[in-house]
C-alpha cells in the first residue's frame, strides 16, 4: 500500500484467479488500480482476472482526487474521482423515490454522465419529475353487477403526483345533469364499484394519490344516496280538529305512516 506496512496476501491456485477488491485507503487520494512495481503504471483494476505462473507483488496506485458530492433531497454521498478523469463507474446508481421518476444527477443545468470529466470539486443534485396518471370514471354496480345510473359520465382527468386536482360533478357545460338514478341523489365518487370503498364528495379538491406508477389509470365510481320525501297530513273534511307534523320518508325504505291525530266527533278514522 504505497510503501506502507499495510499488506494483504492472496493465494491463487491453478494459476488463475480474481483479485479482491482494494481495502487500502490513502487520505485525499483515490485508488486507480494495481501496478507491478512501486510507482509503476496500472496493470490490473479492482477485481481483475489474473493468470500467473509465479508469485507476484502488486502495488496500490493512487491519484489526486476531486470530491463529487451527490445530494438527493438532503441526503448526501461523496465520491472521489481522479483529477481530470471521467467519473465512469463511480457514478452512483439511480435512486428511487415513490411517485417520481429519476431524471439524473445535475450540476446546474448540466447532467452528469459516466463520460463527464471531473475538473474540480462539485455538487450534483438529483432531478425528480412527478409521475402523471389518469383518473377515469365508471358506473357503480349493483349486486347483479348491472349499472345503477343512466346517462353520461364525466371524461377522465389527469393527476400529477403530489398536486391537487378537483373531482368533477355530473353537469355538462350548460349546467344540465348528465347522470341520473331514479329515486336517488348524486353524492360523489367511490373507489369501489359496489360503494364499499373510500368516498369523495362532489367537486372535492383531491390532495392524495392512488398510485406510484407513471401512466396508470385509476377508476372512481358514481355514488348515490336515497332521496328524502316529505309527507304532509291534511284533515280532509269539515269539523275535523287536531294537527299532525310532517313526516320524512326515504326512497326505497319501508316506513310506517304516523298514527292519525285528527279528531272528528261522531266519526271513526
Amino acid at each position: 500500500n504505497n510503501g506502507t506496512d499495510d499488506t494483504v496476501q492472496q493465494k491463487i491456485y491453478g494459476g488463475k484467479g480474481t483479485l479482491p477488491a482494494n481495502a487500502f485507503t490513502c487520505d485525499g487520494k483515490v485508488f486507480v488500480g494495481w501496478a507491478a512495481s512501486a510507482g509503476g503504471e496500472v496493470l490490473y483494476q479492482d477485481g481483475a482476472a489474473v493468470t500467473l505462473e509465479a508469485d507476484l507483488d502488486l502495488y496500490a496506485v493512487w491519484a489526486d482526487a476531486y470530491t463529487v458530492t451527490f445530494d438527493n433531497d438532503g441526503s448526501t454521498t461523496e465520491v472521489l474521482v481522479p483529477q481530470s478523469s471521467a467519473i465512469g463507474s463511480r457514478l452512483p446508481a439511480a435512486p428511487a423515490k415513490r411517485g417520481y421518476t429519476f431524471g439524473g444527477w445535475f450540476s446546474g443545468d448540466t447532467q452528469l454522465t459516466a463520460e463527464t470529466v471531473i475538473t474540480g470539486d462539485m455538487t450534483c443534485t438529483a432531478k425528480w419529475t412527478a409521475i402523471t396518471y389518469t383518473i377515469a370514471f365508471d358506473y357503480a354496480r349493483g349486486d347483479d353487477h348491472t349499472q345503477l345510473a343512466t346517462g353520461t359520465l364525466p371524461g377522465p382527468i389527469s393527476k400529477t403526483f403530489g398536486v391537487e386536482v378537483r373531482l368533477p360533478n355530473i353537469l355538462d357545460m350548460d349546467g344540465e345533469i348528465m347522470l341520473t338514478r331514479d329515486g336517488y341523489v348524486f353524492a360523489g365518487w367511490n373507489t369501489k364499484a359496489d360503494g364499499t370503498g373510500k368516498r369523495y364528495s362532489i367537486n372535492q379538491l383531491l390532495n392524495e394519490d392512488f398510485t406510484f406508477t407513471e401512466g396508470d389509470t385509476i377508476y372512481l365510481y358514481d355514488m348515490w344516496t336515497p332521496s328524502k320525501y316529505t309527507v304532509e297530513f291534511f284533515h280532509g273534511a269539515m269539523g275535523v280538529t287536531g294537527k299532525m307534523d310532517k313526516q320524512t320518508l326515504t326512497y326505497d325504505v319501508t316506513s310506517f305512516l304516523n298514527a292519525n291525530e285528527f279528531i272528528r266527533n261522531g266519526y271513526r278514522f
Side-chain angles (χ1 to χ4, degrees):
N1 179 20
N2 202 34
T4 70
D5 292 333
D6 294 335
T7 61
V8 172
Q9 188 178 78
Q10 178 186 11
K11 293 185 182 297
I12 293 179
Y13 299 94
K16 293 183 178 181
T18 301
L19 297 180
N22 170 52
F24 299 141
T25 60
C26 184
D27 288 343
K29 295 183 181 292
V30 62
F31 175 76
V32 293
W34 299 103
S37 61
E41 296 296 322
V42 172
L43 183 62
Y44 298 107
Q45 297 294 330
D46 248 359
V50 294
T51 300
L52 303 178
E53 296 179 353
D55 293 344
L56 175 66
D57 289 334
L58 294 178
Y59 299 81
V61 180
W62 302 94
D64 291 329
Y66 290 123
T67 300
V68 181
T69 302
F70 295 91
D71 186 340
N72 179 17
D73 287 346
S75 176
T76 59
T77 301
E78 292 185 348
V79 173
L80 295 177
V81 181
Q83 292 183 1
S84 300
S85 299
I87 189 170
S89 61
R90 294 177 174 86
L91 186 69
K97 182 178 179 181
R98 293 177 72 181
Y100 294 82
T101 56
F102 178 66
W105 297 104
F106 281 79
S107 175
D109 295 328
T110 302
Q111 183 176 3
L112 193 71
T113 67
E115 290 74 33
T116 301
V117 175
I118 306 303
T119 58
D121 294 340
M122 63 188 303
T123 297
C124 296
T125 57
K127 181 179 179 181
W128 297 102
T129 301
I131 66 163
T132 58
Y133 59 95
T134 299
I135 300 176
F137 302 92
D138 199 358
Y139 295 101
R141 307 283 170 173
D143 293 338
D144 58 356
H145 302 293
T146 58
Q147 71 182 54
L148 301 176
T150 57
T152 303
L153 288 163
I157 60 175
S158 180
K159 175 76 169 69
T160 299
F161 190 88
V163 178
E164 293 179 336
V165 67
R166 192 172 297 280
L167 294 176
N169 55 35
I170 55 171
L171 302 178
D172 63 17
M173 297 296 293
D174 298 322
E176 299 294 328
I177 296 176
M178 300 187 298
L179 195 67
T180 60
R181 182 183 176 188
D182 289 342
Y184 287 80
V185 176
F186 180 67
W189 306 99
N190 200 289
T191 55
K192 292 188 177 181
D194 62 2
T196 61
K198 187 170 183 177
R199 297 166 171 255
Y200 298 93
S201 60
I202 304 169
N203 291 328
Q204 178 172 337
L205 193 61
L206 187 66
N207 57 5
E208 61 185 271
D209 286 283
F210 300 107
T211 181
F212 303 107
T213 304
E214 173 76 28
D216 259 2
T217 298
I218 304 300
Y219 288 91
L220 295 180
Y221 303 88
D222 51 306
M223 186 173 61
W224 304 85
T225 56
S227 297
K228 302 287 186 180
Y229 300 95
T230 300
V231 178
E232 294 187 56
F233 301 92
F234 299 92
H235 53 73
M238 298 295 293
V240 176
T241 60
K243 181 181 178 181
M244 291 186 63
D245 293 331
K246 297 176 183 180
Q247 182 179 0
T248 300
L249 302 181
T250 301
Y251 179 82
D252 209 24
V253 176
T254 301
S255 302
F256 292 98
L257 293 175
N258 293 338
N260 172 51
E261 297 180 14
F262 293 125
I263 297 173
R264 186 181 186 189
N265 290 334
Y267 289 82
R268 183 171 60 187
F269 177 72

